[in-house]
């Protein structure tokens, strides 16, 4: 009869030693694992979602087509925004590898045929890019459930690309107002007599002199833009259509760069105040009638102290109105660099949102 306790055979010693070694090695191994990879122990909280190290990533952004078919030089984002560079290309050979593909709405909106039907990488993001207002944005209906990110002038876009903004100056400065010899100017190319803005102008001009520049009116060569318009005290920054956040270069470039006081017609005053201090502009809705607006402008014309108050914000802020296409691409690059690459996101109803 075999008894384990009484007679220790060499075989039982061997089993004992093997068991002992196994226990020791398990202890040792788990210690090493714990030590080297603290995140993998089951008692630990789950690891944080992977974040991209901007300096290590070199994201490829494919511009599917040149906006309005006009080529432009693609600039480095390190120069434009001081961020790590993305590899930005308009060469469709990169489609299978691109981290994101940017589609400029106008150029793909004629028919669904203009969007690729190729399989996409599971991690690839399609970006819907548009700076035109909804009135001039057609065929949104076939864009639903296609894109992962929106990129537009709307503040609630995934990638916000406004026509301009205000930067805070590093130190306050003394404001100098260019000499003013004229009163109200408006430069307009798209003259639609039925539009709200033209009707408003027809009413306004009964009470105040308004000089019209542009098509079939006073000539305004591109190079003289600033010198001509800066002689005016006021500029009519009237948008062609009224939509949330749609504040175009008419305000940023034409009015603010020429250092005139913008008289705006567009979304409500509260919407403008998301972008500008309240005393940086005059809103037509501040007055019940065009006549009362005209009276107010004349009052400011006489009262230089009150007029100058519309320039006070410039002592601390400066408008940024130069927003070339290349800058918008870099804004997308920046957004992608800080975005969680593992996050699934789709835009189900573009046509419901963008209007
Ligand atoms: C980024 O990737 C592109 C395409 O792979 C390559 O041509 C470029 O040299 C890379 N840039 C850097 C800084 O790694
Ligand atoms: C992007 O959107 C498409 C279409 O809705 C979807 O199939 C895809 O999984 C999304 N990708 C990501 C990375 O969110």
């Amino acid at each position: 009869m075999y008894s384990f306790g009484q007679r220790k055979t060499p075989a039982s010693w061997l089993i004992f030693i093997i068991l002992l070694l196994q226990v020791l090695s398990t202890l040792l191994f788990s210690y090493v694992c714990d030590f080297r990879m603290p995140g993998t122990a089951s008692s630990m909280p789950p690891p944080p979602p992977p974040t991209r190290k901007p300096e290590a990533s070199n994201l490829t952004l494919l511009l599917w087509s040149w906006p309005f078919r006009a080529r432009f030089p693609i600039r480095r984002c390190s120069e434009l925004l001081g961020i790590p560079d993305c590899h930005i290309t308009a060469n469709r050979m990169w489609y299978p590898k691109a981290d994101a593909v940017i589609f400029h709405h106008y150029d793909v909106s004629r028919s669904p045929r203009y969007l690729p039907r190729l399989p996409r990488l599971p991690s690839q993001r399609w970006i819907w890019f548009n700076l035109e207002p909804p009135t001039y944005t057609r065929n949104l209906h076939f864009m639903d459930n296609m894109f992962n990110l929106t990129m537009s002038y709307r503040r609630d876009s995934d990638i916000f690309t406004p026509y301009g903004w205000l930067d805070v100056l590093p130190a306050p400065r003394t404001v100098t107002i260019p000499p003013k010899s004229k009163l109200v100017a408006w430069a307009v190319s798209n003259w639609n007599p039925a539009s709200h803005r033209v009707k408003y102008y027809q009413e306004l001009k009964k009470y105040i002199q308004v000089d019209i520049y542009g098509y079939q009116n006073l000539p305004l060569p591109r190079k003289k833009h600033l010198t001509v318009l800066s002689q005016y005290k006021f500029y009519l920054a009237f948008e062609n259509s009224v939509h949330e956040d749609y504040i175009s270069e008419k305000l940023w470039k034409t009015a603010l760069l020429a250092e005139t006081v913008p008289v705006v017609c567009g979304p409500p005053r509260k919407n403008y105040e998301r972008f500008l201090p309240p005393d940086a502009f005059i809103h037509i809705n501040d007055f019940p009638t065009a006549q009362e607006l005209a009276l107010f402008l004349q009052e400011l014309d006489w009262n230089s102290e009150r007029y100058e108050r519309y320039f006070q914000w410039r002592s601390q802020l400066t408008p940024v109105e130069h927003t070339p296409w290349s800058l918008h691409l870099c804004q997308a690059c920046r957004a992608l660099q800080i975005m969680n690459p593992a996050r699934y996101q789709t835009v189900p109803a573009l046509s419901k949102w963008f209007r």
Side-chain angles (χ1 to χ4, degrees):
M1 190 176 127
Y2 178 77
S3 158
F4 190 75
Q6 283 168 357
R7 284 194 300 144
K8 293 196 164 68
T9 61
S12 68
W13 270 109
L14 202 61
I15 290 167
F16 179 74
I17 285 166
I18 286 170
L19 281 173
L20 191 71
L21 278 175
Q22 250 176 17
V23 168
L24 278 176
S25 73
T26 314
L27 279 176
L28 187 70
F29 188 64
S30 67
Y31 170 74
V32 168
C33 284
D34 275 348
F35 182 71
R36 291 224 180 122
M37 302 181 284
T40 55
S42 57
S43 62
M44 294 278 185
T51 47
R52 235 186 257 276
K53 280 204 204 82
E55 65 280 5
S57 76
N58 180 10
L59 298 175
T60 295
L61 264 68
L62 169 62
L63 181 62
W64 186 250
S65 48
W66 297 98
F68 304 112
R69 299 187 178 208
R71 282 171 176 268
F72 54 84
I74 290 178
R75 303 211 9 226
R76 294 172 71 96
C77 300
S78 50
E79 284 165 25
L80 288 178
L81 292 176
I83 57 168
D85 279 313
C86 282
H87 169 230
I88 302 178
T89 175
N91 181 348
R92 291 187 186 175
M93 297 277 280
W94 280 97
Y95 177 83
K97 284 191 186 163
D99 296 280
V101 188
I102 298 179
F103 297 92
H104 182 248
H105 179 82
Y106 177 85
D107 302 283
V108 292
S109 60
R110 194 138 25 113
S111 129
R113 285 187 301 117
Y114 289 88
L115 290 169
R117 270 148 207 242
L118 306 162
R120 30 176 143 163
L121 277 182
S123 61
Q124 185 176 80
R125 287 181 161 112
W126 284 22
I127 301 174
W128 179 80
F129 178 36
N130 184 28
L131 297 178
E132 299 304 309
T135 308
Y136 298 95
T137 303
R138 58 182 180 175
N139 287 344
L140 271 174
H141 58 278
F142 63 70
M143 306 284 172
D144 290 352
N145 290 307
M146 286 286 223
F147 296 93
N148 305 100
L149 301 168
T150 56
M151 175 165 162
S152 83
Y153 62 79
R154 277 270 299 260
R155 288 259 299 215
D156 55 354
S157 304
D158 299 299
I159 301 162
F160 176 43
T161 49
Y163 280 85
W165 61 88
L166 300 180
D167 270 351
V168 179
L169 291 167
R173 65 175 169 195
T174 319
V175 180
T176 49
I177 301 173
K180 306 280 180 187
S181 53
K182 296 169 179 179
L183 208 49
V184 188
W186 187 20
V188 57
S189 51
N190 181 5
W191 187 268
N192 174 6
S195 67
H196 175 58
R197 61 176 182 174
V198 170
K199 285 190 190 151
Y200 195 91
Y201 153 76
Q202 301 287 13
E203 190 58 23
L204 187 67
K205 73 165 190 184
K206 292 183 194 163
Y207 309 102
I208 196 168
Q209 166 74 32
V210 179
D211 294 346
I212 306 283
Y213 288 88
Y215 184 66
Q216 294 189 341
N217 290 292
L218 297 168
L220 188 61
R222 208 168 264 278
K223 278 190 184 155
K224 300 231 171 117
H225 232 114
L226 289 187
T227 43
V228 170
L229 296 179
S230 69
Q231 303 166 45
Y232 287 86
K233 287 202 167 166
F234 305 100
Y235 181 80
L236 303 184
F238 286 7
E239 299 300 345
N240 60 24
S241 51
V242 177
H243 299 283
E244 185 180 344
D245 293 342
Y246 182 61
I247 300 171
S248 73
E249 78 290 341
K250 294 172 191 68
L251 177 116
W252 295 108
K253 205 175 226 138
T254 324
L256 294 186
L257 192 62
E259 294 183 69
T260 73
V261 174
V263 177
V264 303
C265 161
R269 168 172 270 280
K270 277 275 161 271
N271 197 159
Y272 278 90
E273 289 178 6
R274 285 188 207 157
F275 297 87
L276 296 162
D279 57 358
F281 64 97
I282 295 164
H283 200 298
I284 65 160
N285 295 354
D286 295 344
F287 305 90
T289 62
Q291 183 180 12
E292 274 160 275
L293 169 63
L295 278 174
F296 182 72
L297 298 182
Q298 274 150 359
E299 211 176 300
L300 292 182
D301 185 28
W302 292 107
N303 188 338
S304 58
E305 197 211 316
R306 271 190 87 188
Y307 176 73
E308 282 159 18
R309 276 188 223 156
Y310 284 89
F311 287 82
Q312 244 152 40
W313 60 274
R314 289 182 186 262
S315 68
Q316 306 201 35
L317 300 164
T318 186
V320 174
E321 41 57 47
H322 182 61
T323 53
W325 293 111
S326 218
L327 179 70
H328 294 319
L329 299 182
C330 287
Q331 287 165 323
C333 163
R334 179 171 57 190
L336 290 163
Q337 282 172 349
I338 57 180
M339 219 172 260
N340 178 357
R343 171 151 166 234
Y344 169 86
Q345 186 175 336
T346 183
V347 185
L350 199 52
S351 51
K352 282 220 178 78
W353 170 69
F354 197 73
R355 58 181 178 192

